[in-house]
């Protein structure tokens, strides 16, 4: 699936199932096939952690296609005492750490499919 924020385009993998959502970016890197991971969530507050991730990520919370919260450059964690990154929304987009600052993406921006 292709989407854009502020004319920056992302080719995303869409995750829907609970199993896919729990695994997320664990042990993965972005490549030529995708540069974002889109989590389809129910409305409300959600928390993500970086357990067993191998790259820093920007975690973007989105409600009704508007960015509500961004956690910038979240570092990987290798144990069960990982920090939680929480926000409100019905979808969450993960991109390579530093992407939002580099591309000027901020809270209040709109996601376009």
């Amino acid at each position: 699936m292709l989407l854009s924020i502020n004319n920056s385009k992302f080719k995303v993998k869409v995750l829907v199932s609970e199993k896919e959502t729990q695994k997320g970016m664990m042990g993965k890197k972005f490549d030529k096939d995708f540069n974002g991971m889109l989590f389809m969530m129910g409305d409300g507050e959600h928390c993500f952690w970086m357990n067993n991730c191998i790259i820093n990520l920007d975690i973007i919370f989105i409600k009704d296609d508007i960015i509500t919260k961004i956690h910038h450059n979240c570092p990987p964690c290798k144990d069960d005492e990982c920090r939680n990154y929480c926000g409100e929304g019905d979808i969450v987009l993960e991109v390579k750490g530093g992407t939002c600052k580099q591309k000027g993406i901020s809270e209040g921006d709109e996601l376009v499919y």
Side-chain angles (χ1 to χ4, degrees):
M1 170 186 270
L2 290 174
L3 55 86
S4 66
I5 303 170
N6 294 345
N7 296 318
S8 293
K9 302 209 181 312
F10 299 94
K11 185 176 182 182
V12 298
K13 284 188 179 182
V14 180
L15 305 180
V16 178
S17 77
E18 185 176 337
K19 185 176 181 178
E20 289 175 322
T21 299
Q22 288 174 350
K23 185 149 169 106
M25 283 294 294
M26 288 182 180
K28 296 184 180 96
K29 290 184 181 179
F30 296 114
D31 59 28
K32 65 179 177 59
D33 294 325
F34 75 112
N35 63 352
M37 191 164 282
L38 190 67
F39 298 81
M40 307 305 287
M41 312 292 290
D43 196 19
E45 183 178 58
H46 303 284
C47 295
F48 283 65
W49 66 343
M50 298 291 294
N51 192 21
N52 293 319
C53 290
I54 55 176
I55 62 169
N56 289 16
L57 296 172
D58 287 351
I59 303 173
I60 307 166
F61 292 85
I62 303 161
K63 179 171 175 60
D64 299 327
D65 298 331
I66 303 296
I67 296 173
T68 60
K69 178 75 178 167
I70 301 173
H71 293 280
H72 297 275
N73 218 17
C74 303
C77 174
K78 299 299 180 197
D79 59 41
D80 288 337
E81 298 298 319
C82 296
R83 177 179 171 192
N84 283 321
Y85 299 94
C86 302
E88 293 278 334
D90 50 11
I91 59 176
V92 176
L93 175 63
E94 291 181 343
V95 296
K96 183 179 176 186
T99 297
C100 290
K101 288 185 178 178
Q102 177 187 34
K103 296 186 178 290
I105 295 170
S106 59
E107 292 174 15
D109 288 346
E110 182 178 10
L111 179 76
V112 178
Y113 298 92

